[in-house]
PDB file of all heavy atoms in Angstrom:
ATOM      1  N   GLU M  37     -57.292 -49.324 -83.313  1.00 79.00           N
ATOM      2  CA  GLU M  37     -56.861 -49.439 -84.716  1.00 79.00           C
ATOM      3  C   GLU M  37     -56.424 -48.087 -85.234  1.00 79.00           C
ATOM      4  O   GLU M  37     -55.433 -47.979 -85.981  1.00 79.00           O
ATOM      5  CB  GLU M  37     -58.029 -50.006 -85.560  1.00 79.00           C
ATOM      6  CG  GLU M  37     -58.307 -51.483 -85.312  1.00 79.00           C
ATOM      7  CD  GLU M  37     -57.134 -52.392 -85.644  1.00 79.00           C
ATOM      8  OE1 GLU M  37     -56.335 -52.055 -86.563  1.00 79.00           O
ATOM      9  OE2 GLU M  37     -56.979 -53.405 -84.940  1.00 79.00           O
ATOM     10  N   ILE M  90      -4.275 -66.615 -50.710  1.00 71.00           N
ATOM     11  CA  ILE M  90      -4.425 -65.435 -49.825  1.00 71.00           C
ATOM     12  C   ILE M  90      -4.319 -65.833 -48.371  1.00 71.00           C
ATOM     13  O   ILE M  90      -3.649 -65.169 -47.551  1.00 71.00           O
ATOM     14  CB  ILE M  90      -5.762 -64.738 -50.119  1.00 71.00           C
ATOM     15  CG1 ILE M  90      -5.712 -64.052 -51.481  1.00 71.00           C
ATOM     16  CG2 ILE M  90      -6.084 -63.697 -49.037  1.00 71.00           C
ATOM     17  CD1 ILE M  90      -7.030 -63.459 -51.931  1.00 71.00           C
ATOM     18  N   ILE M 202      33.428 -10.078  11.169  1.00 89.00           N
ATOM     19  CA  ILE M 202      32.908 -10.825  10.013  1.00 89.00           C
ATOM     20  C   ILE M 202      33.925 -10.695   8.885  1.00 89.00           C
ATOM     21  O   ILE M 202      34.381  -9.587   8.571  1.00 89.00           O
ATOM     22  CB  ILE M 202      31.548 -10.269   9.562  1.00 89.00           C
ATOM     23  CG1 ILE M 202      30.563 -10.267  10.739  1.00 89.00           C
ATOM     24  CG2 ILE M 202      30.994 -11.064   8.385  1.00 89.00           C
ATOM     25  CD1 ILE M 202      29.355  -9.405  10.505  1.00 89.00           C
ATOM     26  N   MET M 306      22.375 -11.532  -9.651  1.00 85.00           N
ATOM     27  CA  MET M 306      21.494 -12.500  -8.974  1.00 85.00           C
ATOM     28  C   MET M 306      21.236 -12.075  -7.532  1.00 85.00           C
ATOM     29  O   MET M 306      20.095 -12.145  -7.046  1.00 85.00           O
ATOM     30  CB  MET M 306      22.128 -13.890  -9.007  1.00 85.00           C
ATOM     31  CG  MET M 306      22.189 -14.517 -10.393  1.00 85.00           C
ATOM     32  SD  MET M 306      22.945 -16.161 -10.349  1.00 85.00           S
ATOM     33  CE  MET M 306      21.737 -17.063  -9.407  1.00 85.00           C
ATOM     34  N   GLU M 314      14.337  -6.138  -0.239  1.00 89.00           N
ATOM     35  CA  GLU M 314      14.344  -6.230   1.221  1.00 89.00           C
ATOM     36  C   GLU M 314      15.403  -5.303   1.816  1.00 89.00           C
ATOM     37  O   GLU M 314      15.170  -4.645   2.835  1.00 89.00           O
ATOM     38  CB  GLU M 314      14.602  -7.677   1.638  1.00 89.00           C
ATOM     39  CG  GLU M 314      14.451  -7.919   3.130  1.00 89.00           C
ATOM     40  CD  GLU M 314      14.587  -9.390   3.501  1.00 89.00           C
ATOM     41  OE1 GLU M 314      14.776 -10.219   2.582  1.00 89.00           O
ATOM     42  OE2 GLU M 314      14.512  -9.696   4.705  1.00 89.00           O
ATOM     43  N   GLN M 382       6.159  12.575  16.905  1.00 89.00           N
ATOM     44  CA  GLN M 382       6.849  11.668  17.815  1.00 89.00           C
ATOM     45  C   GLN M 382       7.870  12.419  18.672  1.00 89.00           C
ATOM     46  O   GLN M 382       7.975  12.195  19.881  1.00 89.00           O
ATOM     47  CB  GLN M 382       7.544  10.565  17.012  1.00 89.00           C
ATOM     48  CG  GLN M 382       8.246   9.540  17.879  1.00 89.00           C
ATOM     49  CD  GLN M 382       8.931   8.466  17.044  1.00 89.00           C
ATOM     50  OE1 GLN M 382       8.866   8.481  15.818  1.00 89.00           O
ATOM     51  NE2 GLN M 382       9.596   7.535  17.697  1.00 89.00           N
ATOM     52  N   GLY M 413     -10.293  45.786  26.726  1.00 48.00           N
ATOM     53  CA  GLY M 413     -10.906  45.437  25.456  1.00 48.00           C
ATOM     54  C   GLY M 413     -11.290  46.625  24.590  1.00 48.00           C
ATOM     55  O   GLY M 413     -11.760  46.472  23.486  1.00 48.00           O
ATOM     56  N   LYS M 524      -5.465  31.913  19.338  1.00 86.00           N
ATOM     57  CA  LYS M 524      -4.135  32.326  18.871  1.00 86.00           C
ATOM     58  C   LYS M 524      -3.723  31.518  17.652  1.00 86.00           C
ATOM     59  O   LYS M 524      -3.124  32.048  16.701  1.00 86.00           O
ATOM     60  CB  LYS M 524      -3.116  32.155  20.001  1.00 86.00           C
ATOM     61  CG  LYS M 524      -3.371  33.035  21.204  1.00 86.00           C
ATOM     62  CD  LYS M 524      -2.415  32.730  22.347  1.00 86.00           C
ATOM     63  CE  LYS M 524      -2.726  33.584  23.574  1.00 86.00           C
ATOM     64  NZ  LYS M 524      -1.855  33.240  24.721  1.00 86.00           N
ATOM     65  N   MET M 619      -7.698  26.336  53.684  1.00 95.00           N
ATOM     66  CA  MET M 619      -7.430  26.349  55.116  1.00 95.00           C
ATOM     67  C   MET M 619      -8.727  26.498  55.903  1.00 95.00           C
ATOM     68  O   MET M 619      -8.921  25.854  56.949  1.00 95.00           O
ATOM     69  CB  MET M 619      -6.454  27.480  55.444  1.00 95.00           C
ATOM     70  CG  MET M 619      -5.976  27.483  56.884  1.00 95.00           C
ATOM     71  SD  MET M 619      -5.162  25.923  57.370  1.00 95.00           S
ATOM     72  CE  MET M 619      -3.698  25.993  56.350  1.00 95.00           C
ATOM     73  N   ASP M 628     -15.900  21.943  63.688  1.00 92.00           N
ATOM     74  CA  ASP M 628     -17.158  21.184  63.721  1.00 92.00           C
ATOM     75  C   ASP M 628     -17.018  19.909  64.540  1.00 92.00           C
ATOM     76  O   ASP M 628     -17.933  19.537  65.302  1.00 92.00           O
ATOM     77  CB  ASP M 628     -17.591  20.829  62.294  1.00 92.00           C
ATOM     78  CG  ASP M 628     -18.328  21.971  61.628  1.00 92.00           C
ATOM     79  OD1 ASP M 628     -18.773  22.891  62.345  1.00 92.00           O
ATOM     80  OD2 ASP M 628     -18.452  21.936  60.383  1.00 92.00           O
ATOM     81  N   ARG M 633     -18.270  16.913  69.488  1.00 86.00           N
ATOM     82  CA  ARG M 633     -17.888  16.085  70.630  1.00 86.00           C
ATOM     83  C   ARG M 633     -18.577  16.543  71.909  1.00 86.00           C
ATOM     84  O   ARG M 633     -18.875  15.726  72.783  1.00 86.00           O
ATOM     85  CB  ARG M 633     -16.367  16.128  70.822  1.00 86.00           C
ATOM     86  CG  ARG M 633     -15.584  15.422  69.739  1.00 86.00           C
ATOM     87  CD  ARG M 633     -15.895  13.945  69.705  1.00 86.00           C
ATOM     88  NE  ARG M 633     -15.759  13.400  68.351  1.00 86.00           N
ATOM     89  CZ  ARG M 633     -16.238  12.235  67.998  1.00 86.00           C
ATOM     90  NH1 ARG M 633     -16.924  11.503  68.856  1.00 86.00           N
ATOM     91  NH2 ARG M 633     -16.097  11.807  66.773  1.00 86.00           N
ATOM     92  N   TYR M 672     -14.398  33.213  56.779  1.00 93.00           N
ATOM     93  CA  TYR M 672     -14.454  31.998  55.960  1.00 93.00           C
ATOM     94  C   TYR M 672     -14.745  30.717  56.748  1.00 93.00           C
ATOM     95  O   TYR M 672     -15.136  29.711  56.145  1.00 93.00           O
ATOM     96  CB  TYR M 672     -13.135  31.824  55.191  1.00 93.00           C
ATOM     97  CG  TYR M 672     -12.889  32.923  54.185  1.00 93.00           C
ATOM     98  CD1 TYR M 672     -11.993  33.955  54.461  1.00 93.00           C
ATOM     99  CD2 TYR M 672     -13.569  32.944  52.977  1.00 93.00           C
ATOM    100  CE1 TYR M 672     -11.776  34.980  53.550  1.00 93.00           C
ATOM    101  CE2 TYR M 672     -13.358  33.956  52.054  1.00 93.00           C
ATOM    102  CZ  TYR M 672     -12.459  34.974  52.340  1.00 93.00           C
ATOM    103  OH  TYR M 672     -12.252  35.983  51.444  1.00 93.00           O
ATOM    104  N   GLU M 681     -19.125  30.749  70.941  1.00 89.00           N
ATOM    105  CA  GLU M 681     -20.319  30.684  71.789  1.00 89.00           C
ATOM    106  C   GLU M 681     -20.312  29.429  72.647  1.00 89.00           C
ATOM    107  O   GLU M 681     -20.774  29.440  73.791  1.00 89.00           O
ATOM    108  CB  GLU M 681     -21.575  30.724  70.916  1.00 89.00           C
ATOM    109  CG  GLU M 681     -21.820  32.064  70.237  1.00 89.00           C
ATOM    110  CD  GLU M 681     -21.980  33.185  71.235  1.00 89.00           C
ATOM    111  OE1 GLU M 681     -22.645  32.975  72.289  1.00 89.00           O
ATOM    112  OE2 GLU M 681     -21.420  34.276  71.003  1.00 89.00           O
ATOM    113  N   PHE M 684     -18.184  30.086  75.534  1.00 89.00           N
ATOM    114  CA  PHE M 684     -18.934  30.926  76.475  1.00 89.00           C
ATOM    115  C   PHE M 684     -19.888  30.075  77.306  1.00 89.00           C
ATOM    116  O   PHE M 684     -19.993  30.275  78.528  1.00 89.00           O
ATOM    117  CB  PHE M 684     -19.713  31.986  75.689  1.00 89.00           C
ATOM    118  CG  PHE M 684     -20.647  32.789  76.529  1.00 89.00           C
ATOM    119  CD1 PHE M 684     -20.178  33.836  77.337  1.00 89.00           C
ATOM    120  CD2 PHE M 684     -22.010  32.509  76.566  1.00 89.00           C
ATOM    121  CE1 PHE M 684     -21.051  34.568  78.127  1.00 89.00           C
ATOM    122  CE2 PHE M 684     -22.877  33.234  77.366  1.00 89.00           C
ATOM    123  CZ  PHE M 684     -22.398  34.282  78.144  1.00 89.00           C
ATOM    124  N   LYS M 718     -28.476  20.863  79.831  1.00 86.00           N
ATOM    125  CA  LYS M 718     -28.741  19.689  80.668  1.00 86.00           C
ATOM    126  C   LYS M 718     -27.457  18.975  81.057  1.00 86.00           C
ATOM    127  O   LYS M 718     -27.351  18.419  82.149  1.00 86.00           O
ATOM    128  CB  LYS M 718     -29.655  18.739  79.896  1.00 86.00           C
ATOM    129  CG  LYS M 718     -31.073  19.241  79.740  1.00 86.00           C
ATOM    130  CD  LYS M 718     -31.919  18.249  78.927  1.00 86.00           C
ATOM    131  CE  LYS M 718     -33.328  18.744  78.716  1.00 86.00           C
ATOM    132  NZ  LYS M 718     -34.140  17.797  77.908  1.00 86.00           N
TER     133      LYS M 718
END
Side-chain angles (χ1 to χ4, degrees):
E37 288 299 330
I90 289 174
I202 305 164
M306 291 180 66
E314 188 175 359
Q382 182 180 359
K524 296 174 182 177
M619 187 58 67
D628 277 344
R633 291 297 150 195
Y672 295 102
E681 291 300 319
F684 173 78
K718 289 179 182 179

